[in-house]
Amino acid sequence: MYQAPRGTVDILPAEQSYWFYIRQKAAQTCQLYGYERIDTPIFESTNLFSRSIGKTTDIVEKEMYSFIDKGGKQITLRPEGTAPVCRAYIQHGMQNKPQPVKLYYTTPVFRYERPQAGRYRQHHQFGYEAIGDNDPALDAEVIDMAWFFFESLGLSKLTLLLNSIGCSKCRPEYLTSLRQYYHSYRNKLCVDCKVRLDKNTLRLLDCKKETCLPFAVTAPRSIDYLCHECKEHFRLLGGYLQQLGLPFLVNHCLVRGLDYYTRTVFEIQPQVGGAQSTIGGGGRYDGLIEELGGKSTPALGFASGIERIILNLKKQSVVIPPIHQPQVFIAHTSDRVKNEVTKLASSLRRASVGAFQTTSSKSLKAQLRQANNIGVRYVIIIGDEEIKTGAAILRNMTTGEQDIVSIAELLDKLLCQLQ
RNA sequence: GUGAGUGUAGCCCAGUGGUCUAAGGCGCCAGGUUGUGGCCCUGGAUAUCGAGGGUUCAAAUCCCUCCACUCACCCCA
């Protein structure tokens, strides 16, 4: 028997209410904050990702779904959403539009990893990018928007973590100090951290091993090494967030795993959770557009994992509105009336009354049972006797009451009762 | 890539060597009501017991290999 590839899932009808709900809230949020939707291809040149995310990151080193197409081109299924949006910004000359350009997307994302709770090889992200403005007020807006989005979904008890990791001017000095600091504990570090020491110094702060945690606590802090501009940016951002009443926590160990981040980085986490606690995160990437061949352009963005949001909606028992289903079921008792039934069903739908219709020859009992299981409010029953008089039985499934109504009046009556 | 746990019908699961041609519950189908759902009663369909190999007179049950799933590490959403 075939089954969905490892790390992928079928999103069955029973789950779709969550997806519809989240996408709707996402679109509403974006409308309120002035973001427009963009859809970029699901695959891009491998280069785009290796250049932007960073060659030594795990994503690029071992998690990309890459292949060579029939034209010999190196192609990669998108492992994240920011780089393609930046590529589109450059390609379509969006620097000529009023800045910042605000774009959002919901899209599948592919990473070759061992699946576990809240982690898949194909997952879905809702994200947005604000490109072309370096004002910390924009950072605040982006963070506020993420917070608003989660709040509007009904999620509570969230934690907002914030940090600044500096820019190309001030970060090298910080990295040097950090490396020096960790170097003195070198033989006490875990195997992974010994590798990080040379390869990805910032990530040393992120190690969750108990033996490494104490080193992170007393490690040099990036915010103590910020240049004047970065320091000011961070100070102003903090002020805006306070004004907005967003309860942020500065976390000196928050560094994020993609190389393109500069200055502001942030994550939003639920208070309780499994290993994959982050439901959304983002930050500034002031060097990325230039790195990808555009003009030097400041920007920042945010992305959230829809599967993880659903996980938390369930954990917090948030009630999701059901997807609207037809409220009318048309049953028939004889194949001789099928013509009438088909016509009626079609005309109801054209008048915006959703209707189920049985097409096979089932017993009336079976049809009513089905109608009951679906949960429709009304069943229209048509048989030989009704057809003779141009009438139908209209049964109210909640009360069990039923009337004989002429087919001509059915629509008006239904429209009235379904109000 | 590493480690641990789990694999019995669509779903939840009983069963730890012979009474298993595999029990129960949910769901599904049908009948009880010859044109009427939900409750109840009765009946029915659906399982090469994850796959392959081995031990044994005998394997869902023990052993080996593989596969899948789950959780965790790594990393991230």
Side-chain angles (χ1 to χ4, degrees):
Chain A
M1 185 167 59
Y2 287 111
Q3 58 189 91
R6 174 155 229 210
T8 69
V9 291
D10 298 312
I11 304 165
L12 299 172
E15 286 285 294
Q16 290 290 346
S17 56
Y18 283 96
W19 290 81
F20 184 76
Y21 176 69
I22 292 167
R23 287 185 175 127
Q24 192 172 260
K25 292 287 183 193
Q28 281 168 1
T29 303
C30 287
Q31 203 170 23
L32 287 170
Y33 283 78
Y35 283 70
E36 294 180 293
R37 179 164 179 125
I38 183 168
D39 288 281
T40 62
I42 242 163
F43 57 83
E44 299 267 0
S45 286
T46 300
N47 264 340
L48 175 67
F49 298 117
S50 49
R51 177 169 291 185
S52 59
I53 298 168
K55 288 202 169 61
T56 60
T57 57
D58 276 36
I59 292 179
V60 170
E61 279 193 335
K62 53 185 195 192
E63 294 176 3
M64 294 208 299
Y65 271 93
S66 298
F67 62 96
I68 295 167
D69 73 9
K70 295 191 180 190
K73 297 247 162 50
Q74 276 282 355
I75 300 293
T76 294
L77 301 185
R78 111 173 92 220
E80 64 105 35
T82 300
V85 171
C86 290
R87 194 223 75 231
Y89 174 92
I90 298 165
Q91 182 181 334
H92 300 286
M94 294 190 209
Q95 71 273 13
N96 295 315
K97 299 178 77 168
Q99 307 292 300
V101 173
K102 296 166 154 188
L103 302 166
Y104 83 93
Y105 56 84
T106 55
T107 178
V109 169
F110 306 86
R111 290 181 202 170
Y112 187 87
E113 305 176 89
R114 283 284 283 270
Q116 66 187 77
R119 204 179 69 182
Y120 305 91
R121 289 186 173 179
Q122 175 180 346
H123 76 277
H124 298 76
Q125 291 192 358
F126 157 56
Y128 50 86
E129 318 289 341
I131 305 172
D133 188 346
N134 62 12
D135 197 293
L138 185 62
D139 300 44
E141 187 192 89
V142 162
I143 294 170
D144 177 59
M145 178 167 160
W147 194 259
F148 173 83
F149 169 60
F150 289 128
E151 269 183 347
S152 73
L153 286 169
L155 290 174
S156 53
K157 296 181 191 142
L158 300 176
T159 307
L160 168 59
L161 303 177
L162 186 70
N163 196 15
S164 175
I165 54 173
C167 64
S168 56
K169 271 192 287 179
C170 54
R171 197 182 313 165
E173 193 193 332
Y174 171 61
L175 289 180
T176 305
S177 306
L178 195 62
R179 205 173 287 125
Q180 270 170 8
Y181 166 83
Y182 270 101
H183 202 82
S184 53
Y185 301 106
R186 192 188 171 93
N187 41 22
K188 291 182 184 169
L189 296 174
C190 72
V191 196
D192 294 323
C193 280
K194 280 181 181 142
V195 178
R196 291 187 185 110
L197 191 51
D198 304 315
K199 214 180 73 176
N200 205 334
T201 317
L202 271 184
R203 297 222 63 89
L204 283 162
L205 295 167
D206 216 17
C207 187
K208 287 158 209 137
K209 293 229 168 57
E210 270 186 43
T211 49
C212 296
L213 280 173
F215 303 126
V217 175
T218 53
R221 301 162 156 193
S222 57
I223 54 168
D224 295 328
Y225 286 79
L226 297 180
C227 61
H228 175 71
E229 289 80 9
C230 287
K231 197 174 279 175
E232 192 60 6
H233 187 95
F234 191 58
R235 187 185 68 80
L236 287 168
L237 170 59
Y240 290 128
L241 292 178
Q242 254 164 21
Q243 284 300 308
L244 288 165
L246 295 186
F248 64 92
L249 281 172
V250 175
N251 183 327
H252 305 289
C253 296
L254 179 64
V255 295
R256 312 278 300 156
L258 288 71
D259 282 359
Y260 54 61
Y261 285 114
T262 56
R263 290 188 169 169
T264 311
V265 290
F266 68 99
E267 265 181 32
I268 293 173
Q269 302 181 350
Q271 272 184 350
V272 283
Q276 272 67 44
S277 51
T278 301
I279 55 172
R284 238 179 210 286
Y285 46 89
D286 290 340
L288 181 56
I289 303 265
E290 190 174 16
E291 173 69 28
L292 294 179
K295 285 200 295 190
S296 172
T297 308
L300 82 158
F302 165 83
S304 59
I306 297 182
E307 285 82 354
R308 287 193 190 170
I309 292 173
I310 294 174
L311 211 62
N312 282 280
L313 287 171
K314 287 177 178 171
K315 210 174 272 176
Q316 297 191 9
S317 305
V318 176
V319 178
I320 308 298
I323 291 174
H324 190 71
Q325 283 274 308
Q327 291 301 305
V328 176
F329 188 102
I330 307 173
H332 65 269
T333 61
S334 142
D335 283 348
R336 285 183 295 275
V337 301
K338 263 188 177 172
N339 269 334
E340 287 300 322
V341 168
T342 305
K343 263 162 53 190
L344 175 63
S346 179
S347 63
L348 288 183
R349 292 162 185 154
R350 276 164 178 69
S352 297
V353 175
F356 291 98
Q357 133 185 231
T358 6
T359 46
S360 61
S361 309
K362 286 187 186 176
S363 70
L364 181 59
K365 185 190 179 113
Q367 294 177 74
L368 280 165
R369 191 164 43 227
Q370 189 182 352
N372 184 60
N373 287 349
I374 293 168
V376 296
R377 287 165 64 191
Y378 293 95
V379 172
I380 296 167
I381 303 168
I382 298 180
D384 290 320
E385 283 179 33
E386 286 73 28
I387 283 294
K388 280 181 206 157
T389 55
I393 296 168
L394 181 60
R395 181 177 178 83
N396 181 324
M397 292 297 276
T398 317
T399 63
E401 287 164 4
Q402 54 187 45
D403 298 314
I404 294 172
V405 180
S406 83
I407 289 179
E409 289 169 16
L410 250 181
L411 176 62
D412 285 342
K413 187 136 191 182
L414 278 172
L415 282 172
C416 176
Q417 298 197 354
L418 285 171
Q419 280 299 311

